[in-house]
Amino acid sequence: MTEIVVIGAGIVGAACARTLSRLGHRVRILDRGPAMTGTSASCEGNLLVSDKGPGAELDLALAANAGWPAIVAELADELGPAFPAVEFEKKGGLVVATTEAGAQPLIDFAAEQRAAGVDAQVVSDRQARELEPDLTPDFTAAVYYPQDCQVQPVAVGEALLASARRHGAEIRTGVEVLGGIRRRDRLVGLRTSQGDIPADAVVLAAGPWSGEVSDRIGAPVAVRPRRGMVLVTTRMPHRIFHKVYDGDYVGATQSADAALQTSSVVESTAAGTVLIGSSREQVGFDPSIRVDVLREIARKAVTLFPFLSSVPVMRAYGGFRPYLDDHLPLIGADPRLPGLWHASGHEGAGIGLSVITAQLLAADLFGGPAPLDPTPFRPTGRPLVAPDLVVNGGAA
């Protein structure tokens, strides 16, 4: 039995803990705050393929997307009807262009995605209005993505943690990682605010805080926070039936620009509220909720759904995405420090990619079969993990 410490009790850490504990290993999860209160609690729960172009991230998203129905069924069977539903919904996505200049690029992008295995259906005006009767009539192109899904992110994260506990995992909150413990240049444990914790393997899954924690351990990685904000309406009868966003959203997700970017992303929840995003900016861990950003988000949402102009907003919230410059998650063994593994850098895709990340990590840890080629996601050879960025920290 291997002693494994997972740093981070968000959804990626929960998925890793569940997968590793089900394999028979002893797993401890550490978090300096309560479980599921960071990035996992500040997002929309999207399981998307529509926002990714051909390449390694899309391959990962397609594999993850195909596996989610089975994961949801496993959790329901294991935890029983008394456990809250994870609200998995195969709702599909509708992406629209609202300018003449944006129409053909959206259609061309869908063609590239179809060649890579995505079900991307260019739909007529009539078909788009059948999918979304309240959609603005002033759109110039629309693409339907039936594979897009949604979950309630905190509910599914708590379900993964509950499953991990059933398989022997221990969750310790209020524990801050202060540094690494090394023996002969190998990481063998962690120094924490509650004492030293030994480990055969350490998995860093601290989301946007992974950069900070990796510095403390002595093997820094370039994960940075990327702030976003969301508006939430009051409850109402369902008038939006899919995840609907404008074509600018894809460009925003793939941009490396640190400045503010906004695009329109609108979807209903099972509770009857409407979530309205999104924004992206790199401002460190500044938690400020900016009215000017919310105003721009709201303006673009009304462009897609004019009826929203008369719907009350009951709250707004913000959060931090774990951002990496090459837009690929970091999954696998650190080449500089044996004993350290990474599972971070998913930016806005961490909910959907959480379980398949855990499967890739387990394959890297124990040499089993991987669900797809792990090479693009491994730290080795990535500029984000420079060989000379090893700090002589920790204890002997």
Side-chain angles (χ1 to χ4, degrees):
M1 179 184 292
T2 304
E3 300 268 353
I4 303 170
V5 173
V6 177
I7 305 172
I11 193 167
V12 174
C16 290
R18 177 181 187 259
T19 297
L20 296 170
S21 61
R22 291 180 77 197
L23 291 173
H25 304 288
R26 182 177 180 186
V27 178
R28 290 191 180 98
I29 310 170
L30 310 180
D31 203 301
R32 63 184 177 186
M36 297 297 155
T37 56
T39 298
S40 299
S42 304
C43 63
E44 297 161 302
N46 294 319
L47 317 176
L48 303 183
V49 298
S50 58
D51 62 341
K52 298 168 182 66
E57 188 184 22
L58 177 57
D59 294 341
L60 188 65
L62 284 168
N65 184 275
W68 265 104
I71 294 298
V72 171
E74 285 178 8
L75 290 171
D77 182 64
E78 182 179 353
L79 302 177
F83 199 90
V86 302
E87 298 179 18
F88 175 73
E89 186 178 1
K90 295 192 71 172
K91 67 193 315 180
L94 185 68
V95 185
V96 300
T98 56
T99 64
E100 291 295 338
Q104 194 58 49
L106 177 60
I107 293 169
D108 293 342
F109 183 67
E112 294 172 2
Q113 291 177 302
R114 281 195 299 276
V118 177
D119 187 356
Q121 305 172 15
V122 178
V123 294
S124 67
D125 290 6
R126 178 184 60 79
Q127 290 170 319
R129 296 304 295 272
E130 288 175 352
L131 291 166
E132 292 293 342
D134 285 306
L135 183 68
T136 176
D138 299 325
F139 66 91
T140 56
V143 180
Y144 175 52
Y145 291 89
Q147 291 163 294
D148 281 355
C149 305
Q150 187 177 20
V151 292
Q152 209 296 327
V154 174
V156 76
E158 290 288 0
L160 291 166
L161 285 176
S163 175
R165 287 190 188 97
R166 289 171 65 93
H167 290 89
E170 175 190 0
I171 300 166
R172 296 177 59 181
T173 57
V175 181
E176 185 165 5
V177 174
L178 305 177
I181 302 172
R182 299 189 191 189
R183 184 176 301 122
R184 293 186 294 276
D185 294 324
R186 180 180 178 86
L187 187 66
V188 295
L190 296 169
R191 293 186 294 110
T192 80
S193 58
Q194 294 189 12
D196 291 352
I197 298 177
D200 299 313
V202 172
V203 177
L204 179 51
W209 294 273
S210 291
E212 174 187 324
V213 178
S214 66
D215 278 342
R216 296 182 182 186
I217 291 174
V221 294
V223 178
R224 304 194 299 276
R226 200 179 192 191
R227 186 175 69 184
M229 299 181 199
V230 176
L231 290 166
V232 186
T233 73
T234 55
R235 295 177 66 182
M236 61 180 181
H238 281 279
R239 294 179 65 178
I240 299 170
F241 304 99
H242 305 81
K243 179 184 177 69
V244 184
Y245 61 88
D246 65 48
D248 291 342
Y249 178 75
V250 175
T253 62
Q254 298 303 308
S255 171
D257 194 338
L260 174 67
Q261 298 168 74
T262 60
S263 56
S264 186
V265 184
V266 186
E267 61 193 309
S268 295
T269 69
T273 60
V274 175
L275 305 180
I276 301 172
S278 72
S279 66
R280 280 171 162 77
E281 57 184 331
Q282 293 182 44
V283 291
F285 284 104
D286 178 359
S288 304
I289 300 295
R290 290 172 46 192
V291 173
D292 60 326
V293 175
L294 298 178
R295 184 183 296 115
E296 182 66 9
I297 291 171
R299 183 188 68 79
K300 291 189 173 183
V302 170
T303 299
L304 284 182
F305 290 98
F307 82 90
L308 288 173
S309 63
S310 61
V311 174
V313 170
M314 67 176 179
R315 68 185 181 97
Y317 63 88
F320 302 103
R321 306 174 182 92
Y323 170 83
L324 287 168
D325 281 337
D326 65 0
H327 300 286
L328 290 177
L330 196 65
I331 307 168
D334 193 301
R336 306 160 300 176
L337 184 57
L340 176 63
W341 276 261
H342 296 278
S344 186
H346 300 79
E347 199 173 338
I351 305 299
L353 300 181
S354 57
V355 175
I356 200 163
T357 291
Q359 294 166 351
L360 284 172
L361 182 83
D364 198 54
L365 263 164
F366 301 111
L372 77 167
D373 181 9
T375 305
F377 315 105
R378 284 177 170 158
T380 304
R382 304 266 294 272
L384 315 158
V385 186
D388 56 350
L389 290 181
V390 181
V391 180
N392 292 322

